[in-house]
Amino acid sequence: MPLQFAVQSLTGDAATVSVDVRRLYNFGYAGRDAASIQEHIDELVELGLPAPGSVPALFPLPPRLATTDGVISVTGTDSYGEVEYAMIRADDGQWYVTVASDHSDFEIEKLSTSKSKTVYPDVVAGTVWPLAEVREGWDDLVLTNRRTDADGTEVVQQSPVATLLPPEALLSVLEERTGGEIPVGTIVLSGTVAGLPATGAPSWEVSLEDPIRGRSITLSYAVDQLLAELVGAAARAS
């Protein structure tokens, strides 16, 4: 089923766009500072995560993993959200931008980054901006990630998008590696900013703020933490 997005435009006109998702890609290690990227990779390797095969890393995912749902289901407490900007080429042929969370599982990431990205959805906000409207002043946009648990709400990631490669750079890499024009129905996540959020929170909120134009897009979603297994009475008693 196509995803529907509300377009928040500077013209003030109310509109919606539809996206029949045919391609979904996640970038990783897509920062502008090569030294900082390598430092981050080294830190993750020390934590047991594999190093990427190339920088920036680029992962093709099943299109069904793109969702605007407000609740996702996970197994156990090892998952966490990561804030990213998302670019969407809608069915009208135009590019739009919004905020997203690449929800991941830390323990599976230790085995394979690419496999970990196919376990849980890419949660995408239901509101978008025309990409052309934010090209000017792009570096002033700010990404924020908040996790909420029983102890309260905490900002775990916050950074200007200036720390990440800009849209034209990411799309150029995508075209080069796929060998052709990016088709309608494509969603591209940018890779995340600095910070490794603690796992296990039942609620996440990510936002993309445009301070120049005084607007923002916020995505909140809940995590339904499933038990690993429902055991019988004999097993519970042992």
Side-chain angles (χ1 to χ4, degrees), residues 110-187:
K110 291 180 181 179
L111 303 176
S112 168
T113 303
S114 59
K115 288 182 180 179
S116 74
K117 291 185 177 296
T118 64
V119 175
Y120 299 132
D122 283 343
V123 191
V124 184
T127 299
V128 297
W129 296 327
L131 182 57
E133 288 188 356
V134 290
R135 287 297 185 113
E136 183 177 351
W138 172 263
D139 284 357
D140 293 310
L141 302 181
V142 178
L143 290 167
T144 303
N145 182 12
R146 296 176 175 87
R147 71 185 298 280
T148 299
D149 59 17
D151 295 325
T153 299
E154 177 187 8
V155 174
V156 290
Q157 291 177 293
Q158 188 168 62
S159 173
V161 298
T163 61
L164 297 172
L165 293 174
E168 57 270 18
L170 294 183
L171 297 180
S172 177
V173 171
L174 179 57
E175 287 182 337
E176 186 271 328
R177 295 193 191 176
T178 58
E181 182 182 357
I182 303 168
V184 163
T186 297
I187 297 181

Side-chain angles (χ1 to χ4, degrees), residues 66-90:
T67 184
T68 55
D69 290 349
V71 180
I72 65 170
S73 295
V74 306
T75 300
T77 60
D78 294 319
S79 74
Y80 64 101
E82 286 188 326
V83 65
E84 312 197 2
Y85 72 83
M87 295 176 288
I88 300 167
R89 191 172 188 200

Side-chain angles (χ1 to χ4, degrees), residues 28-46:
Y29 309 104
R32 299 189 195 182
D33 186 328
S36 295
I37 294 171
Q38 188 57 54
E39 181 180 349
H40 181 53
I41 291 172
D42 293 341
E43 290 173 346
L44 294 179
V45 169
E46 288 185 6

Side-chain angles (χ1 to χ4, degrees), residues 229-238:
E229 181 183 0
L230 295 177
V231 299
R236 290 196 299 270
S238 62

Side-chain angles (χ1 to χ4, degrees), residues 3-59:
L3 300 180
Q4 303 292 325
F5 297 91
V7 180
Q8 187 184 81
S9 175
L10 294 176
T11 65
D13 297 333
T16 60
V17 290
S18 177
V19 182
D20 184 7
V21 185
R22 301 179 180 89
R23 300 284 188 276
L24 177 62
Y25 299 98
N26 282 187
F27 273 94
Y29 309 104
R32 299 189 195 182
D33 186 328
S36 295
I37 294 171
Q38 188 57 54
E39 181 180 349
H40 181 53
I41 291 172
D42 293 341
E43 290 173 346
L44 294 179
V45 169
E46 288 185 6
L47 292 173
L49 275 65
S54 61
V55 176
L58 179 58
F59 304 98

